[in-house]
Amino acid sequence: MAARISEPLQKKITERLSFYEDIGTRLFYRDRGAQVPYCSEYATEASNVAIDSNMSSREEMTLPKPASKPELSKIAPLIPPAPPKISPLPMPAPAGPSLFESLDKIVGDTLFKVREDLGECTRCKLHSTRHKIVFGDGNPKAELVFVGEGPGADEDAQGLPFVGRAGKLLTQMIEAMGLQRKDVYICNVVKCRPPENRQPEEDEVNTCSPFLLRQIDVIAPKVIVCLGAVAAKTLLKTNRGISHFRGEWLEFRGRKLLATYHPAYLLRNPPAKSEVWKDLQKVMAVLGLEVKKGKPSS
């Protein structure tokens, strides 16, 4: 028969078990030196703990599987919505009228008003070396207008266009057409003589050409003949050499325009006179003048 545990020892064991119970390690304690009698209270508790542990393990084992991601139903590919229809922007309004192309005709304008507006012009640097402004000369209602480059020394001295050697040749050309100088109108792109008869510079042309356009609008000729490259390039707004379009009918502000060589060029290159005469014969045909056969006398 096993010896009975003394009360002090039993008390100590009980206190120790209570301590282990308090810290949660009672079931893991075992006194290997003493034979502790079976205690139904502790066995029951141990059994309950074991059952609880088993239940916990079973519950852990039988935890529901995490819900699988729901299978995405097949969705038709997203089609981006059509962008809203936007009406095209209106084309920008054209800029102000070009001095060379679409300058509005001044109602009631006259050559006298143009000359008055020109005044004693100091708008560009040519005024500093000129003697006289060379405005233009001829019939204010002419069907034919000749446009040259600019005044030379003789023109600068007299204030009239084409009165020097080149001017005399132009007079002969006009008479060969069956006309007189008083029947046509003669003017230039710039109204003041460029120094040493150089070509007018771009700023000089841009400053003076509006007055030329007003002259042409007032006269309203049937035909415009450009004498030389400067006049042709100014009115046609082109950088092409005159040889590319000389003798061809072109349009300028609703009027027929033909470019030919300048009389000064003909003085340096007499063989080109025959080409110019062919050009003038085209002008004569348009004006209803009798086209003479052969070369004009020069």
Side-chain angles (χ1 to χ4, degrees):
M1 188 175 199
R4 186 178 181 81
I5 302 174
S6 64
E7 290 184 3
L9 179 59
Q10 185 172 359
K11 183 177 179 181
K12 288 182 179 181
I13 293 172
T14 301
E15 290 175 355
R16 179 57 63 92
L17 290 174
S18 296
F19 170 73
Y20 285 127
E21 182 178 359
D22 290 339
I23 66 175
T25 60
R26 183 186 63 176
L27 296 178
F28 300 98
Y29 173 79
R30 181 178 180 186
D31 187 359
R32 301 185 182 208
Q35 296 291 331
V36 182
Y38 177 78
C39 179
S40 61
E41 178 183 354
Y42 295 139
T44 301
E45 289 182 8
S47 176
N48 291 337
V49 171
I51 292 171
D52 291 341
S53 177
N54 290 337
M55 288 296 294
S56 298
S57 299
R58 190 171 298 172
E59 288 176 2
E60 289 178 1
M61 293 176 61
T62 60
L63 284 175
K65 295 180 179 180
S68 58
K69 294 181 181 180
E71 183 179 356
L72 295 175
S73 57
K74 293 182 179 180
I75 303 175
L78 294 176
I79 301 175
K85 292 183 178 180
I86 301 175
S87 57
L89 292 174
M91 294 297 290
S98 166
L99 293 177
F100 300 100
E101 188 171 71
S102 57
L103 183 65
D104 292 334
K105 184 176 180 180
I106 299 176
V107 177
D109 206 7
T110 64
L111 291 178
F112 177 79
K113 289 182 180 179
V114 178
R115 181 64 184 89
E116 190 174 51
D117 290 343
L118 179 62
E120 292 303 311
C121 184
T122 58
R123 294 173 178 84
C124 78
K125 57 184 176 291
L126 291 181
H127 81 276
S128 61
T129 55
R130 73 157 187 253
H131 289 93
K132 291 185 178 180
I133 290 177
V134 182
F135 181 70
D137 183 47
N139 184 356
K141 299 297 182 182
E143 288 190 330
L144 175 60
V145 168
F146 288 95
V147 180
E149 176 180 310
D154 293 318
E155 290 78 13
D156 182 48
Q158 299 182 42
L160 293 172
F162 284 89
V163 292
R165 289 182 62 217
K168 291 178 180 178
L169 179 56
L170 176 60
T171 300
Q172 293 173 359
M173 292 162 56
I174 294 171
E175 292 174 349
M177 297 173 68
L179 299 170
Q180 301 294 320
R181 279 185 64 122
K182 62 183 180 62
D183 298 321
V184 302
Y185 193 87
I186 306 172
C187 54
N188 288 299
V189 172
V190 295
K191 311 304 184 189
C192 299
R193 180 196 179 195
E196 299 180 1
N197 289 345
R198 64 163 172 79
Q199 285 193 355
E201 296 176 355
E202 184 177 1
D203 63 310
E204 298 162 356
V205 170
N206 291 341
T207 300
C208 206
S209 59
F211 296 100
L212 167 64
L213 300 186
R214 287 178 64 184
Q215 286 174 290
I216 293 174
D217 280 339
V218 168
I219 298 167
K222 190 172 183 179
V223 176
I224 302 168
V225 174
C226 291
L227 300 172
V230 173
K233 290 180 178 180
T234 299
L235 295 185
L236 297 175
K237 288 181 59 178
T238 181
N239 289 323
R240 296 171 62 198
I242 190 173
S243 60
H244 289 89
F245 51 84
R246 182 203 58 79
E248 297 180 6
W249 281 117
L250 302 169
E251 187 271 346
F252 174 75
R253 297 164 75 92
R255 300 179 180 92
K256 284 182 170 293
L257 182 149
L258 185 141
T260 193
Y261 295 128
H262 194 285
Y265 174 80
L266 300 181
L267 293 176
R268 300 190 301 269
N269 300 275
K273 290 181 180 180
S274 61
E275 298 300 321
V276 173
W277 176 237
K278 292 177 183 177
D279 297 339
L280 296 180
Q281 287 179 316
K282 295 178 182 179
V283 174
M284 294 165 63
V286 170
L287 295 177
L289 301 174
E290 181 183 356
V291 178
K292 301 176 181 179
K293 300 296 182 180
K295 297 181 181 181
S297 58
S298 58

